[in-house]
Amino acid sequence: MLALRCRTNAPIRGRGQATGIYIAGPLWAAHIVALMLCPFGYAEDAVTPWLDVFAMREVATENASGICAGAIGTLPGFTVRPDAPGTRLVRVSLPFAPGALPENLWVLARCGDIEIQPDLRPLTRHPGRPVSVRRAIVTFPFTFASDAPHFFSLTLTENPLPPPHAVEMDNEFMNVSFAGMAVHIVADHVRIDTDAGLSWAASLIAPARTNTTPGRVEIVEHGAHYLWARLLTPDPQWPRIIEVRADSLGTVVVQAHIQRMLPGDDTAPDLGWVITGPAMDAYEIHAFASGEAATLRGADHPVAVSFPDAHYKLRGDVSVVDAPEGAVITYMRSRAEENVPFQSAAWRRAAFAVGPAPALNPLFEPLLDIDVAAETFDKAYNSGLPPALGMWPEIEDALHFGWNSLERSILNGDDFGNLTSYIPSTDSASTSGMSRLEYCPSLFTGFYRNGEKGLRDAALLWCSNFFDHNIWWGNADLLEGWRKRPRHSQLGGAKHPHSDDSPEFVTFKWRAPGSVDFCTKGFESFLYAYEETGDPRMSAALHWQTEYAGRHIHASGESQEVRNVGVATDFLRLYRLTGVSIYREEALRLFRQLRDVLSDGDLFSQSGAPFHPDPPFINDDAVGSEYPFPKPYILTYALQGLPDLLSFYPDEPKLRDVVRAVADFLARSQDPIGGWRYPHPRSAIVSCQSGKTAAMLARAATALEKRGEPVNNIVDAIERVLANDVQTHAKTGMFIANLQGWEW
């Protein structure tokens, strides 16, 4: 992998026990569902690195070798369930089986006797030749005669839609005519004029840029029915991206992405938009802290203004005042006095929508219920089909509770989108939870396999939050960061701007200084997020996270984090979907590093040190770190990717032995109630890691059974986990997270 090397003036960033019954959050639920950057160093005189880091980029696919076998024209269908009759924008990212949609062909959509030619935006391709599309977004307006389900089928066509209107642009502005609108984008300003004579002019509220260096205009998507454009404007202190999405029904979304490149941690200044437009109905100031959305209606026209994600962020307000030629809307995404956390190199965003019916979700997607069959995803991803659980209602109930708890684990407020854990007693997300994307791929799989759109949305919001707040975008060598809620008012050696008891301190997970390699897991999620949305931020994150992982993640040596072998699963999934051989080689590299530090019985300690021959009773990590031992939680990481690696390298020395040894050790060290103790198999606490461990054991059992090896002991261990979880849920409506051991 190529590393982006550049000089920088920016500073280089260095590096309890609970008892009770409650939901264990994504750690448990995501894996039960699974069962069934090197960015820039920024210098004031060098804007190209910043532009290159955040520019649009294709997802790399290897098409030079290999055969992409499949039947041309076996295209997917989908079902739309409108909430009422009327014209709606249909926009959906569809998976295509290998070979089904050849590159440079287009599609027609048909519903009954009505045939439509949609916009088609290919996003990713299957590896091999002939080149065929794996994911593509189709977009078209459709008038629904009723609220009954409407099924749409696709067929191939050689004829694309007529080319869209020409775009006038350079590095400082863009003008485009689209669907009866003229859209003008320039730094910090957007103007929208309609054929009906209505106009809106929006000016960004944000700190002024400190230079006037030209930026870069990008056309993300431009068809007959959808326009997506961005203006990237660099700055050594306050760079930003102004983004416009418009559809042929007249809805326009304007979003500002503001990055803070000042050193240290601080809070956000005033951020928002001033929107001047036609007259609006009288509207008293609305504070989004209430959690309620706000839609401003036109006084004498059918166009409304809304703020699709503002009420989830619980900050800022909107107000309307009369003006000589209409109205002035002031949307404050946040006010300086609200002390919204804003760390160095992080992002904050402010968005509004204008249109006749701007009903959008917080991902800025039309609110329309669209179903794609699990069989369709399975052909593209080998993701599996939903389990038939009708005969076992207790299992089905537990599974649905797991899904619902994940959807409710998404935080609102300053950390909107972060996935933490679910507290049933308050029906809310905890402010303490995950700091890495390791469990996010299981959410996408749950969506592919079971059609649970809540899992999809949770995964996408989590990826977006991770992009904005977890990834350290400010240094060429330490891309990745991790987040925790500090227990003190010092962070990074400087006085923190928040006191320990201020609300924003306890509800926002601050990114700690430095790069934590063992938190860089699950970055394959950015591929799935890009394939769902087409958002160029997601493909940029995928590129730079894999770059970081290739250079900085090791399973032995100085890292002393042998658990990093688990990243093999990210690399192997990326290899299977893209065919890029370096991904498979990176997975093999991680195993070979692990092989160098194996201890007794083909197992390993957390640090890679040999096992201590006579350790004392180990009941916590402080003691355990002094006496290396086989730690079930850490050993589990070997089963994330190594069983899959075995299918590529069946004769690799010690590879099969490690998979077998780890699976057998976990099966025999399991507590009789179905969990694993932490940190040592004989320690006093039963931990909440059982769901994850069972999911990894399932991978091992699958790989070993294919080799003809017995796996009954492994399957028994999986069944004990599921029995415990299902029975606990049947009794309490919840899952066990932590229990004191009987020894206490």
Side-chain angles (χ1 to χ4, degrees):
M1 297 183 182
L2 296 177
L4 178 60
R5 307 289 187 184
C6 49
R7 297 186 180 275
T8 176
N9 293 334
I12 292 183
R13 306 294 295 259
R15 149 179 184 145
Q17 117 183 351
T19 303
I21 298 180
Y22 55 96
I23 182 66
L27 202 62
W28 185 95
H31 285 284
I32 289 300
V33 170
L35 272 172
M36 312 279 271
L37 174 218
C38 163
F40 56 97
Y42 192 84
E44 292 190 15
D45 59 348
V47 301
T48 300
W50 186 90
L51 290 171
D52 289 344
V53 165
F54 296 109
M56 287 194 317
R57 61 178 70 247
E58 293 277 336
V59 172
T61 307
E62 176 54 60
N63 299 120
S65 61
I67 302 300
C68 181
I72 295 176
T74 54
L75 303 183
F78 55 95
T79 300
V80 180
R81 293 179 171 83
D83 57 353
T87 302
R88 302 284 190 276
L89 185 77
V90 178
R91 181 169 170 84
V92 59
S93 177
L94 294 173
F96 294 84
L101 177 57
E103 184 86 304
N104 298 324
L105 289 183
W106 290 265
V107 299
L108 296 173
R110 177 177 290 275
C111 180
D113 296 330
I114 303 174
E115 188 172 80
I116 316 103
Q117 184 154 10
D119 288 351
L120 179 71
R121 179 188 168 193
L123 296 173
T124 55
R125 289 129 183 105
H126 291 283
R129 291 182 178 272
V131 179
S132 68
V133 174
R134 182 174 69 249
R135 290 299 292 267
I137 297 176
V138 296
T139 308
F140 58 92
F142 189 82
T143 301
F144 295 92
S146 71
D147 60 1
H150 289 61
F151 179 75
F152 291 84
S153 60
L154 299 181
T155 56
L156 289 177
T157 179
E158 292 183 295
N159 302 314
L161 282 169
H165 297 291
V167 178
E168 178 188 9
M169 65 182 186
D170 65 13
N171 287 337
E172 299 184 42
F173 77 96
M174 185 196 81
N175 291 322
V176 59
S177 297
F178 174 79
M181 297 178 286
V183 180
H184 176 71
I185 307 172
V186 69
D188 295 354
H189 300 279
V190 175
R191 183 177 178 87
I192 305 161
D193 298 302
T194 73
D195 289 350
L198 302 176
S199 297
W200 284 265
S203 299
L204 180 66
I205 301 171
R209 290 196 299 150
T210 58
N211 66 28
T212 57
T213 304
R216 179 183 299 170
V217 173
E218 296 181 335
I219 303 297
V220 179
E221 189 173 344
H222 190 196
H225 304 301
Y226 205 80
L227 167 71
W228 189 343
R230 308 194 304 168
L231 173 60
L232 290 75
T233 51
D235 190 76
Q237 295 184 6
W238 295 101
R240 72 254 336 230
I241 298 172
I242 304 300
E243 175 183 64
V244 173
R245 310 186 201 186
D247 65 52
S248 57
L249 296 182
T251 296
V252 181
V253 177
V254 178
Q255 181 172 212
H257 306 252
I258 303 113
Q259 188 180 30
R260 178 181 172 273
M261 290 303 297
L262 297 170
D265 298 313
D266 205 342
T267 57
D270 286 350
L271 299 175
W273 290 95
V274 174
I275 308 160
T276 303
M280 309 297 292
D281 286 340
Y283 200 94
E284 296 183 0
I285 187 168
H286 175 85
F288 291 105
S290 65
E292 296 183 3
T295 299
L296 313 180
R297 304 291 178 183
D300 54 4
H301 56 85
V303 180
V305 179
S306 66
F307 311 90
D309 62 349
H311 58 295
Y312 295 99
K313 296 176 178 177
L314 305 177
R315 298 288 192 174
D317 53 68
V318 61
S319 59
V320 181
V321 297
D322 292 334
E325 297 182 357
V328 176
I329 302 168
T330 301
Y331 165 47
M332 298 304 302
R333 154 62 181 92
S334 60
R335 296 183 179 272
E337 57 266 28
E338 292 180 296
N339 291 329
V340 173
F342 206 170
Q343 297 193 262
S344 181
W347 294 83
R348 289 290 178 186
R349 294 177 286 131
F352 67 91
V354 175
L360 305 169
N361 67 15
L363 297 164
F364 310 117
E365 300 169 331
L367 288 174
L368 198 60
D369 188 7
I370 302 177
D371 289 334
V372 180
E375 291 82 359
T376 301
F377 283 103
D378 186 46
K379 291 174 182 177
Y381 293 95
N382 194 29
S383 51
L385 302 179
L389 298 175
M391 294 178 62
W392 300 278
E394 295 88 352
I395 299 178
E396 193 167 37
D397 289 347
L399 188 59
H400 281 284
F401 177 73
W403 292 337
N404 292 336
S405 69
L406 284 164
E407 295 168 20
R408 287 168 169 77
S409 296
I410 289 292
L411 272 180
N412 290 339
D414 294 335
D415 212 0
F416 174 55
N418 191 18
L419 191 78
T420 56
S421 58
Y422 174 57
I423 306 173
S425 60
T426 59
D427 191 26
S428 63
S430 167
T431 57
S432 178
M434 301 312 301
S435 57
R436 54 195 179 220
L437 284 177
E438 181 178 350
Y439 310 100
C440 194
S442 293
L443 275 68
F444 284 106
T445 300
F447 165 62
Y448 299 158
R449 185 183 300 165
N450 300 287
E452 287 290 322
K453 299 180 192 64
L455 296 182
R456 169 195 182 269
D457 292 353
L460 292 175
L461 290 170
W462 196 7
C463 287
S464 181
N465 175 279
F466 202 93
F467 180 100
D468 288 343
H469 300 299
N470 271 60
I471 296 177
W472 167 243
W473 294 107
N475 181 276
D477 291 317
L478 297 178
L479 162 60
E480 173 64 22
W482 74 306
R483 293 208 288 158
K484 63 182 179 181
R485 190 176 70 200
R487 300 182 184 277
H488 47 76
S489 59
Q490 298 287 325
L491 189 61
K495 179 68 178 175
H496 205 275
H498 308 298
S499 63
D500 290 359
D501 58 353
S502 61
E504 64 273 7
F505 186 83
V506 299
T507 60
F508 181 78
K509 294 193 71 178
W510 292 84
R511 184 188 63 232
S515 172
V516 182
D517 54 357
F518 67 82
C519 284
T520 307
K521 295 179 171 71
F523 51 82
E524 62 178 284
S525 303
F526 291 117
L527 172 63
Y528 310 137
Y530 176 70
E531 290 184 320
E532 286 295 323
T533 64
D535 189 338
R537 296 186 308 143
M538 299 297 101
S539 58
L542 175 68
H543 176 85
W544 296 116
Q545 288 274 274
T546 53
E547 159 66 16
Y548 173 89
R551 292 189 299 123
H552 288 295
I553 293 183
H554 304 282
S556 63
E558 292 183 2
S559 74
Q560 291 189 329
E561 281 294 349
V562 182
R563 74 175 96 177
N564 283 343
V565 71
V567 177
T569 189
D570 289 276
F571 283 127
L572 288 174
R573 284 172 173 165
L574 290 175
Y575 171 72
R576 287 190 180 277
L577 293 174
T578 68
V580 176
S581 59
I582 187 64
Y583 294 144
R584 186 182 63 191
E585 294 165 13
E586 291 288 2
L588 182 60
R589 169 184 66 85
L590 290 171
F591 168 69
R592 288 176 171 172
Q593 290 178 345
L594 170 68
R595 187 172 60 197
D596 291 341
V597 295
L598 291 176
S599 192
D600 301 341
D602 295 321
L603 303 176
F604 52 90
S605 65
Q606 180 168 347
S607 66
F611 295 156
H612 192 281
D614 187 24
F617 176 67
I618 297 172
N619 196 42
D620 55 56
D621 283 323
V623 175
S625 62
E626 300 295 322
Y627 301 91
F629 67 98
K631 188 175 184 178
Y633 168 63
I634 295 297
L635 289 170
T636 300
Y637 284 98
L639 302 185
Q640 282 193 307
L642 298 190
D644 192 20
L645 189 66
L646 195 56
S647 66
F648 294 106
Y649 301 101
D651 300 321
E652 178 70 17
K654 287 290 185 181
L655 179 54
R656 173 267 171 202
D657 299 339
V658 170
V659 172
R660 180 85 246 181
V662 170
D664 286 345
F665 177 85
L666 291 173
R668 68 175 178 266
S669 63
Q670 185 183 41
D671 190 272
I673 75 160
W676 282 266
R677 295 174 175 242
Y678 185 93
H680 191 274
R682 291 191 298 275
S683 60
I685 301 299
V686 178
S687 153
C688 64
Q689 308 291 341
S690 57
K692 171 190 173 180
T693 306
M696 300 306 103
L697 284 171
R699 297 182 185 183
T702 300
L704 294 171
E705 189 174 50
K706 286 180 179 178
R707 296 172 63 95
E709 298 191 26
V711 295
N712 284 348
N713 63 324
I714 304 173
V715 175
D716 288 346
I718 297 169
E719 288 186 344
R720 281 191 287 270
V721 171
L722 295 178
N724 183 12
D725 290 325
V726 170
Q727 292 177 26
T728 301
H729 178 264
K731 292 279 189 181
T732 69
M734 293 176 280
F735 299 135
I736 292 176
N738 291 315
L739 289 176
Q740 284 188 340
W742 64 267
E743 295 88 348
W744 290 103

